[in-house]
Amino acid sequence: MSVESPPRAAAPPPPARPSAGRRVAGRLLHWWRRLTAMRTAIVLLFLLALAAVPGSLLPQRSLSQNKVNAYFTDHPSLAPVLDRFYLFDVFSSPWFAAVYLLLFISLIGCVLPRALEHFRALRAAPPAAPRHLLRLPDSGDLVTPLPGPQALDVVEEELRVRRFRVVRREGELSAEKGYLKETGNLLFHLSLVALLLGLAGGKLWGYEGSILVTEGQGFCNSFQQYDTYSSGPLVQSGDLTPLCVDLEDFRAQYEENLTAASFTADIRYGAPGEDGRPTTIGVNGPLRVDGARVYTTGHGYSPTFSVTRPDGTAISDVSVPFLPTDQSTMASEGALKLPDFGAASDDQLALEGFFAPTGLVQNNILTSVDPRPLAPQVAIVIYQGYLGLDSGIPQSVYSLDASQIDRGRLTRVAAANLKVGESTTLPDGTTVAFTGYREFASLQLSHDPGQVWVLVSAISLLAGLLGMLLLRRERVFARVAADPGGGGTVLTLASLTRGSGESAPRFAALTDDLDDALAARVPAPHPEDRPRES
Amino acid sequence: MNPDSLAALSDSLFSITVALYSLAVVAFCAQLAFGRRPARTPELVAAGGGSAPAEPAPEGPAEDRRGRRWGVVAMGLTVLGVLAHGGVLVFRGLATDRLPWGNMYEFATATVLVAVVAYIVFALRAPALRHLGLFVLAPVVLALVLIGLFLYAQAGPLVAALRSYWLAIHVSTAIIGFGIFFVSGIASVMYLVRSRYEARLADGGAPESGIVSRLPAAAALDRVAHRTAVFGFPIWTFAVIAGAIWAEAAWGRFWGWDPKETWAFIAWVVYAAYLHARTTAGWRGRPAAWVNVVGLVVMIFNLLFVNMVSTGLHSYAGV
Ligand code: HEM
């Protein structure tokens, strides 16, 4: 297959009346050739790039569901239309997949025949010399007193030293080198196919789950446990790597100017029921075990509270994760819900608030000034009443259901800024104490069976690319004839080069070397034995 | 020297670099202005005669001595500028005790340095291409001024996510690839300008005495553009692969269509298409050059828009 395929006839001129089957076959062949032409591949490649553009300009569900929601709120009439065209799920949309699959078929269709042809060429002899050597772009004559066959011997020897494959024929010689260039080209294109396969495999059999884990707690690899997860269509929940992880200690370190320097989590991991091995993971350093990888993707603080009723019943040190709203100061927000604490369903207790690892109170407003827990404080608002947790409508765990407050079923009973150890007393005598904090880590477990395959493909793609771009394919032809002007031989040389670099200087250097080699075989070299460029 | 004075030295060198490059631009202008006598054109058209388009030798007609002297001055200033430019990064690195490409200011400054170095290497190997200097250095000065105005960031430590040896591998190769593509893109723009001029000459149009007539021949520009792109493409490919390997360790997946990743992929496809177009009949010449220009636009878009407007995982590199 050539780079530029001239428009081809769909099929040989049809006989008087081709059968319907023939015509369909001809049509299919025509479309197959169209699809597998290199030009089509390039157009498809361009389309793939173009198709990726909206994926980077519009919010994507795969990256941030929140941003997509915000877009829907900001553009209530436009967003549903865009959504109809999968513009918030570009990379998993049918049209993206269509381009990707067509490209894939096109690549296979054009690379396989080339690979076969190349395999045959590898074993075939270099082609015979063209009749008019001096018409090639790089060509010239050398005159030598050596007889013809001997002159060709010298040429052959010199070319073999340069790792050409040489074939002698009657009075002439053909040589070729640089098969690796074509090999590189094929390797590159086949790697591209392999890479696409690896990507697809990862999408089908891969999964990923995220969970927020407070120090002292843990999770096991099952979809029920994750806060959020996504999995490929061919993943069966029974296939999940049996792995449990416990978070023992989380540390965040900061530079003097409060740039985050490192986040590390000491964990224990092992099969369910096992005691587990300790290790430390952190930014850029995940745990890799049995095809599963565990990452720390974020962190934050879980303030702890103790609540004591006037009758002495108490809950102590319940911790609840507050989500950071500002990574530079780790100011965080969250809610604590205690549905079972009160005596009745309308006597539930909850608090919503703000946590500052290093708090500063100005005008009774708490702000955070440092991400490190130097002086933790909370600003909380406490509610009593009915939380609505059993109403069937899912609630965020990080905030209270505002509609319950609006409807008056949940009433605000107190508000306070508390330092560690401080407490506030509600009108009914219950005390709420801020007792301290723990750190939590957002952990993510990922499994992608395609990724090693993709890595290997990418490396061989790069190797093929280098071979294809840097090597050159070179053919050299030589023919001898008796010198009409004397008893010697005229040696006509020509070369054809494909690939990088200028061919003329290389050809001149080759001719000079050959001339020297010929001269070395002759007892007394003639001074006029210089190449005559045509 | 303490970190603060090293950082201050780096900042002063930045201004010095801009000044030296600006002077080099002036010198390159002078070289073009005095470089050739406008009287030579009639023979040139005659020499090109027949059906073949006139293609002046890359050297063009004899340069007069004044022009050549300006050329030497311009190259000298450029080399001095490169030294100062390298100093900006070296002293940043010393001040912060890390590789000096941890934020956009440093990344962009390093990219521009690679572009100038790539130009100098080309100019040394093919003296005829020194005439390209004005067209490389003028965008370079513009880019540096914009970087200084809008991207400047105080010297400081790296955020945790960037503390990895992959910073050295991924970001360095991305910078080198980008810098080389920059020169390639400029060469293609020049090619587009020059080839239109040559086509007009071939149609019997009046030769201009403007700057276009003093550019290197279109064929030479096209070759520069192609060769630099061939050099840059594997480097860019490597940078993207290295980025994916790093992303696997840092973000939990090797590819997630984060905006930066998406645009890196788009750029890769555009450059692959450029290399193909160069060897595809019907695409050679101007259409291929346009593809290369699109590639450069995509690269710049990826640097500016994706870092400053959209928010993705790469954004922590900061403005
Ligand atoms: C139908 C499918 C394709 C065919 C038949 C094909 C064929 C070729 C050929 C023959 C060359 C060598 C050009 C030369 O040096 O003369 C080449 C080079 C190349 N191909 Fe493809 N290609 C196809 C698809 C692709 C795709 C999808 C990519 C993806 C990026 C790609 C990337 C490249 C690159 C980067 C080069 C190097 C360009 C050069 O050396 O000039 N090809 N391809």
Side-chain angles (χ1 to χ4, degrees):
Chain A
M1 180 160 305
S2 64
V3 178
E4 167 54 11
S5 32
R8 269 179 279 205
R17 187 163 295 162
S19 70
R22 269 270 182 85
R23 262 179 304 160
V24 170
R27 205 101 287 264
L28 285 180
L29 190 62
H30 174 76
W31 283 109
W32 173 250
R33 286 200 178 135
R34 272 269 178 100
L35 179 63
T36 59
M38 172 143 152
R39 196 178 286 170
T40 311
I42 296 175
V43 169
L44 288 172
L45 202 58
F46 248 129
L47 271 182
L48 196 64
L50 213 56
V53 172
S56 77
L57 301 182
L58 289 169
Q60 297 294 299
R61 290 209 172 86
S62 59
L63 296 176
S64 163
Q65 178 70 48
N66 288 343
K67 280 194 202 147
V68 176
N69 294 346
Y71 195 90
F72 267 84
T73 329
D74 295 346
H75 309 269
S77 50
L78 180 60
V81 179
L82 298 179
D83 200 23
R84 175 104 43 94
F85 294 102
Y86 298 91
L87 285 168
F88 302 111
D89 305 281
V90 165
F91 303 107
S92 51
S93 67
W95 48 266
F96 196 78
V99 179
Y100 166 105
L101 284 177
L102 279 176
L103 175 65
F104 186 66
I105 296 171
S106 167
L107 261 176
I108 292 179
C110 78
V111 171
L112 283 187
R114 278 176 66 110
L116 290 179
E117 192 182 309
H118 180 55
F119 186 68
R120 254 179 257 131
L122 272 182
R123 304 195 295 167
R131 184 164 316 162
H132 302 288
L133 282 186
L134 291 178
R135 285 194 192 155
L136 294 186
D138 296 307
S139 54
D141 286 339
L142 290 178
V143 180
T144 169
L146 291 175
Q150 229 171 309
L152 282 182
D153 285 346
V154 174
V155 175
E156 177 172 353
E157 205 173 290
E158 288 293 314
L159 288 175
R160 285 201 191 278
V161 168
R162 287 173 177 71
R163 319 197 37 186
F164 276 84
R165 296 202 311 186
V166 185
V167 170
R168 284 282 283 275
R169 296 191 180 87
E170 186 57 37
E172 63 177 49
L173 162 162
S174 315
E176 181 159 17
K177 81 166 179 187
Y179 291 87
L180 270 180
K181 181 184 175 66
E182 178 72 1
T183 309
N185 186 332
L186 288 172
L187 182 64
F188 172 85
H189 292 95
L190 287 174
S191 306
L192 210 54
V193 175
L195 194 144
L196 290 175
L197 277 177
L199 278 178
K203 282 275 165 291
L204 293 176
W205 283 285
Y207 62 84
E208 183 176 290
S210 314
I211 185 168
L212 201 147
V213 181
T214 301
E215 285 170 329
Q217 298 176 348
F219 73 99
C220 290
N221 184 20
S222 86
F223 289 149
Q224 291 84 355
Q225 294 208 9
Y226 291 120
D227 299 335
T228 59
Y229 74 92
S230 61
S231 71
L234 300 184
V235 177
Q236 314 259 301
S237 46
D239 300 341
L240 303 199
T241 315
L243 179 70
C244 293
V245 175
D246 290 319
L247 177 64
E248 301 197 316
D249 187 25
F250 184 89
R251 286 181 308 278
Q253 277 163 354
Y254 294 89
E255 299 286 350
E256 280 162 40
N257 71 350
L258 301 185
T259 305
S262 79
F263 303 114
T264 49
D266 292 339
I267 59 170
R268 269 182 184 277
Y269 69 96
E274 253 177 37
D275 201 18
R277 272 154 299 192
T279 187
T280 299
I281 61 176
V283 181
N284 288 314
L287 165 71
R288 292 170 205 276
V289 51
D290 296 338
R293 304 165 344 252
V294 181
Y295 298 86
T296 48
T297 56
H299 73 115
Y301 296 98
S302 302
T304 57
F305 299 94
S306 291
V307 185
T308 314
R309 292 181 75 82
D311 64 8
T313 50
I315 294 186
S316 44
D317 290 335
V318 268
S319 76
V320 55
F322 276 31
L323 290 187
T325 52
D326 178 351
Q327 289 290 337
S328 63
T329 63
M330 292 306 283
S332 313
E333 287 172 10
L336 172 67
K337 303 179 189 182
L338 298 172
D340 304 326
F341 188 59
S345 74
D346 59 355
D347 191 18
Q348 297 172 334
L349 184 89
L351 62 85
E352 200 170 38
F354 177 88
F355 174 86
T358 302
L360 177 70
V361 178
Q362 281 175 315
N363 301 329
N364 214 25
I365 306 239
L366 175 64
T367 52
S368 178
V369 293
D370 193 314
R372 296 169 292 180
L374 302 178
Q377 283 196 55
V378 289
I380 50 173
V381 180
I382 303 166
Y383 295 87
Q384 274 178 320
Y386 173 62
L387 282 167
L389 288 175
D390 49 6
S391 66
I393 301 166
Q395 288 192 9
S396 162
V397 287
Y398 303 108
S399 60
L400 302 182
D401 183 355
S403 66
Q404 300 294 340
I405 300 171
D406 293 344
R407 267 185 255 152
R409 307 189 63 177
L410 201 53
T411 43
R412 172 179 167 143
V413 290
N417 290 340
L418 304 178
K419 294 181 179 156
V420 176
E422 291 180 344
S423 62
T424 186
T425 306
L426 309 185
D428 71 355
T430 304
T431 59
V432 175
F434 171 44
T435 53
Y437 68 90
R438 288 190 213 142
E439 292 192 60
F440 72 78
S442 308
L443 298 183
Q444 176 187 317
L445 189 145
S446 309
H447 171 70
D448 182 346
Q451 77 172 24
V452 173
W453 183 247
V454 169
L455 178 63
V456 172
S457 312
I459 291 170
S460 81
L461 179 145
L462 188 59
L465 185 65
L466 287 174
M468 153 165 76
L469 291 178
L470 303 183
L471 298 178
R472 65 178 76 73
R473 175 124 164 232
E474 222 172 339
R475 284 186 183 154
V476 173
F477 304 107
R479 180 174 291 135
V480 287
D483 184 357
T489 302
V490 179
L491 176 68
T492 308
L493 290 168
S495 96
L496 261 182
T497 307
R498 240 188 47 185
S500 56
E502 303 285 316
S503 59
R506 297 174 49 79
F507 182 69
L510 176 70
T511 336
D512 284 349
D513 290 352
L514 287 177
D515 198 25
D516 292 344
L518 288 168
R521 299 295 177 87
V522 181
H526 296 264
E528 72 270 24
D529 282 354
R530 304 310 306 172
R532 285 198 314 236
E533 296 289 340
S534 62
Chain B
M1 273 205 280
N2 67 10
D4 286 343
S5 52
L6 284 168
L9 176 58
S10 165
D11 291 349
S12 321
L13 281 172
F14 189 89
S15 313
I16 293 171
T17 306
V18 173
L20 285 169
Y21 286 160
S22 306
L23 289 175
V25 166
V26 173
F28 276 120
C29 280
Q31 180 195 17
L32 282 180
F34 302 127
R36 293 174 195 175
R37 295 182 207 96
R40 89 261 118 85
T41 32
E43 313 99 275
L44 183 71
V45 177
S51 58
E55 187 183 289
E59 292 287 359
E63 238 178 331
D64 80 1
R65 207 174 301 134
R66 212 149 38 121
R68 206 160 328 127
R69 221 176 294 142
W70 276 115
V72 171
V73 169
M75 281 314 281
L77 284 167
T78 308
V79 170
L80 282 179
V82 160
L83 293 179
H85 197 161
V88 173
L89 292 169
V90 168
F91 290 112
R92 261 273 159 150
L94 290 176
T96 53
D97 201 18
R98 61 171 169 81
L99 284 175
W101 35 85
N103 53 46
M104 253 181 93
Y105 165 73
E106 295 164 2
F107 178 86
T109 305
T111 299
V112 174
L113 175 63
V114 172
V116 182
V117 170
Y119 162 69
I120 290 179
V121 169
F122 247 93
L124 289 181
R125 293 182 48 170
L129 297 173
R130 287 192 198 150
H131 291 285
L132 221 55
L134 172 60
F135 306 97
V136 173
L137 274 251
V140 157
V141 169
L142 183 67
L144 283 181
V145 169
L146 293 178
I147 289 168
L149 285 179
F150 296 113
L151 302 183
Y152 179 78
Q154 216 93 68
L158 286 179
V159 299
L162 294 182
R163 300 188 183 191
S164 161
Y165 54 89
W166 286 105
L167 179 72
I169 301 170
H170 168 62
V171 183
S172 314
T173 46
I175 288 171
I176 294 170
F178 193 175
I180 292 171
F181 283 150
F182 186 86
V183 174
S184 183
I186 299 277
S188 272
V189 171
M190 295 294 102
Y191 165 81
L192 287 169
V193 172
R194 173 75 191 192
S195 70
R196 203 178 51 192
Y197 166 76
E198 286 180 12
R200 220 179 309 135
L201 269 193
D203 288 347
E208 298 168 21
S209 52
I211 275 179
V212 187
S213 66
R214 291 166 189 168
L215 283 177
L221 289 168
D222 193 36
R223 225 170 313 134
V224 173
H226 181 236
R227 255 197 263 162
T228 37
V230 163
F231 192 60
F233 190 68
I235 296 178
W236 183 246
T237 308
F238 179 83
V240 172
I241 294 174
I245 297 175
W246 190 6
E248 194 270 345
W251 299 332
R253 81 289 181 291
F254 65 86
W255 195 272
W257 297 108
D258 173 72
K260 198 91 187 178
E261 293 169 348
T262 306
W263 284 95
F265 167 77
I266 292 171
W268 189 80
V269 167
V270 171
Y271 281 105
Y274 169 65
L275 295 184
H276 270 102
R278 277 272 320 203
T279 57
T280 305
W283 278 86
R284 288 197 192 100
R286 297 178 61 88
W290 275 111
V291 177
N292 196 15
V293 174
V294 170
L296 183 62
V297 171
V298 168
M299 292 294 287
I300 294 174
F301 180 85
N302 197 4
L303 176 67
L304 296 183
F305 178 83
V306 174
N307 283 45
M308 298 169 78
V309 182
S310 78
T311 51
L313 291 164
H314 272 88
S315 305
Y316 53 39
V319 173

